[in-house]
């Protein structure tokens, strides 16, 4: 659950490779349920299209399943109702965050999606049948401006003679919602240069601060009275709709607390000029919003609090086979340098 929270909040980081659950299926023993194709894709305008095609499996087979990739599927891409190309399966050797070797697999295409494109993906293979889904790539909604103030600043030298800079940031992120259509959003805060080194070794590290998403009312608009009574928190989820702000300018209130930079240098202005914060507003497809909503309900909503007493909630799917999600985002990012805030 913590992994999903971090992904959606900073996720999402971007932002963002998509981790979808829901490609396994529960069943009653003795009732045979064949595996089906599972199709996942998170489509970004201006970026190479990647589609993951796997197959579902029964939860009782989890200890036996080691590879669910489907390598022999026919995967066709349609753009705005017209056939564009067949996607090709590729595998690439890589390294995960722990330094372990991994293989990144998927179906790739030459077409680069654009904002406003209707993307349809059709996949089929002899073993698992057919699955298709479509999504319209949203248009990015620009961030108009950001008002950010730095407060509670203090310096402290630790036992290792490293200097710590500590402070809080309060941000107002202004944007104008387009009135002509229903829009779905997600917000992300990400610090750049988390670790910086030079010829002498480690120079500076900025530690992930606490981002209090509960202070922004739009991030809790999906919560019911029962959700508030049983829990009363959004827990790092930052997705929302425009139903309260349609056609209006609005300022998201984003407190960023307990920012800490450690360094071996003594010039705070010189040090902070290496760091900045990226504030990103994502326009997201309805399929992505529905998926995030189902994950929140399962993890944090009243159903999660009630446990077996609540109604079961399953991740939603816009794929014809019922497995996987094809979604899309478009982003607007504004960068703020921390050194400029310190000088102000």
């Amino acid at each position: 659950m913590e992994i999903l929270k971090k992904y959606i909040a900073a996720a999402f980081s971007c932002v963002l490779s998509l981790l979808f659950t829901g490609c396994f299926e529960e069943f009653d023993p003795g009732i045979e349920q064949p595996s089906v194709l599972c199709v996942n894709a998170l489509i970004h305008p201006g970026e190479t299209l990647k589609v993951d095609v796997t197959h579902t499996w029964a939860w009782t087979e989890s200890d036996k399943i080691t590879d669910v990739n489907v390598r022999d599927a026919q995967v066709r891409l349609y753009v705005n109702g017209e056939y564009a190309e067949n996607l090709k399966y590729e595998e690439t050797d890589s390294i995960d965050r722990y330094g372990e070797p991994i293989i990144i697999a998927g179906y790739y295409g030459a077409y680069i999606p654009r904002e406003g494109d209707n993307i349809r993906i059709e996949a089929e293979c002899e073993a698992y049948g057919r699955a298709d889904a479509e999504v319209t790539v949203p248009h990015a909604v620009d961030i108009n401006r950001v008002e950010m103030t730095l407060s509670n600043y203090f310096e402290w030298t630790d036992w290792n003679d490293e200097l710590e800079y500590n402070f809080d940031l309060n941000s107002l992120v202004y944007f104008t919602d387009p009135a002509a259509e229903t829009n779905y959003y997600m917000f992300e805060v990400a610090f750049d240069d988390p670790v910086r080194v030079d010829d002498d070794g480690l120079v500076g590290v900025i530690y992930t601060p606490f981002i209090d998403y509960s202070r922004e009312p739009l991030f809790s608009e999906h919560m019911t009275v029962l959700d508030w009574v049983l829990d009363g928190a959004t827990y790092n989820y930052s997705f929302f709709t425009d139903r309260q702000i349609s056609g209006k300018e609005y300022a998201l209130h984003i407190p960023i607390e307990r920012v800490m930079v450690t360094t071996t240098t003594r010039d705070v202005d010189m040090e902070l000029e290496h760091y900045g914060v990226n504030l990103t507003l994502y326009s997201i497809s309805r399929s992505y919003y529905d998926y995030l909503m189902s994950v929140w309900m399962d993890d944090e909503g009243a159903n999660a609090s009630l446990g077996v007493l609540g109604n079961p909630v399953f991740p939603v799917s816009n794929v014809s086979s019922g497995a996987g999600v094809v979604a899309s985002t478009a982003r607007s990012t504004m960068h703020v340098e921390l050194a400029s805030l310190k000088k102000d």
Side-chain angles (χ1 to χ4, degrees):
M1 184 175 70
E2 292 301 319
I3 294 176
L4 280 173
K5 292 176 184 175
K6 292 178 181 177
Y7 165 70
I8 295 172
F12 324 250
S13 146
C14 201
V15 197
L16 301 222
S17 74
L18 185 60
L19 299 179
F20 286 127
T21 58
C23 286
F24 67 91
E25 53 188 14
E26 296 183 9
F27 73 105
D28 295 326
I31 301 177
E32 182 178 353
Q33 293 190 0
S35 295
V36 298
L37 280 183
C38 176
V39 178
N40 284 313
L42 183 57
I43 300 167
H44 308 285
E47 299 183 13
T48 299
L49 180 67
K50 176 179 181 289
V51 178
D52 297 316
V53 180
T54 58
H55 65 82
T56 60
W57 68 94
W59 66 273
T60 52
E61 299 177 324
S62 296
D63 58 340
K64 305 174 186 177
I65 300 294
T66 59
D67 185 0
V68 296
N69 287 312
V70 177
R71 296 171 172 81
D72 61 347
Q74 294 292 318
V75 182
R76 293 178 293 274
L77 171 66
Y78 294 82
V79 179
N80 300 322
E82 300 290 336
Y83 169 79
E85 61 181 321
N86 273 35
L87 307 186
K88 297 180 179 180
Y89 181 81
E90 298 179 12
E91 292 185 353
T92 304
D93 294 330
S94 186
I95 303 295
D96 67 13
R97 59 183 299 184
Y98 304 105
E100 297 296 325
I102 58 173
I103 295 177
I104 298 178
Y107 287 82
Y108 294 84
Y111 181 78
I112 303 299
R114 297 176 295 183
E115 294 182 5
D117 278 349
N118 178 268
I119 301 293
R120 179 176 177 83
I121 297 168
E122 297 182 356
E124 61 180 326
C125 71
E126 183 176 350
Y128 304 107
R130 178 187 173 92
D132 56 75
E134 66 181 76
V135 66
T136 298
V137 180
H139 291 271
V141 175
D142 292 337
I143 295 175
N144 298 336
R145 65 189 186 280
V146 171
E147 297 176 1
M148 182 177 289
T149 56
L150 184 150
S151 61
N152 300 322
Y153 178 88
F154 68 93
E155 300 177 5
W156 181 74
T157 302
D158 67 11
W159 61 273
N160 199 33
D161 201 34
E162 288 188 339
L163 185 64
E164 290 186 2
Y165 313 122
N166 297 266
F167 49 89
D168 297 332
L169 299 171
N170 189 58
S171 306
L172 291 175
V173 182
Y174 291 83
F175 69 98
T176 302
D177 175 77
E181 56 190 11
T182 301
N183 297 284
Y184 304 89
Y185 298 100
M186 182 174 65
F187 187 78
E188 177 190 56
V189 176
F191 285 83
D192 53 15
D193 291 325
V195 177
R196 188 166 59 81
V197 297
D198 65 6
D199 295 337
D200 297 324
L202 184 66
V203 173
V205 177
I206 186 165
Y207 291 91
T208 302
F210 173 68
I211 304 170
D212 189 1
Y213 287 110
S214 66
R215 302 275 290 277
E216 172 48 56
L218 289 187
F219 295 162
S220 58
E221 67 176 6
H222 56 276
M223 296 179 65
T224 66
V225 173
L226 186 58
D227 292 326
W228 280 106
V229 170
L230 294 177
D231 203 321
T234 55
Y235 288 113
N236 293 336
Y237 288 83
S238 59
F239 61 93
F240 61 101
T241 72
D242 67 348
R243 60 174 174 257
Q244 299 182 68
I245 59 170
S246 181
K248 303 176 182 177
E249 183 179 61
Y250 185 81
L252 295 171
H253 182 203
I254 312 294
I256 307 171
E257 301 173 350
R258 300 193 292 275
V259 182
M260 181 176 70
V261 177
T262 65
T263 180
T264 55
T265 67
R266 292 300 181 189
D267 188 334
V268 60
D269 292 327
M270 181 186 72
E271 181 60 32
L272 288 183
E273 72 183 13
H274 294 281
Y275 298 102
V277 57
N278 294 298
L279 306 171
T280 301
L281 178 67
Y282 290 93
S283 298
I284 64 176
S285 64
R286 175 62 186 267
S287 57
Y288 199 9
Y289 176 86
D290 289 344
Y291 171 78
L292 294 175
M293 185 69 177
S294 71
V295 171
W296 179 85
M297 292 176 65
D298 189 42
D299 285 350
E300 307 294 352
N303 281 279
S305 300
L306 291 172
V308 297
L309 299 178
N311 295 321
V313 178
F314 303 102
V316 298
S317 173
N318 64 335
V319 181
S320 61
S321 65
V325 178
V326 174
S328 183
T329 74
R331 61 177 174 262
S332 172
T333 299
M334 189 162 288
H335 179 84
V336 179
E337 295 182 356
L338 298 183
S340 65
L341 299 176
K342 175 61 168 58
K343 292 176 182 178
D344 292 341

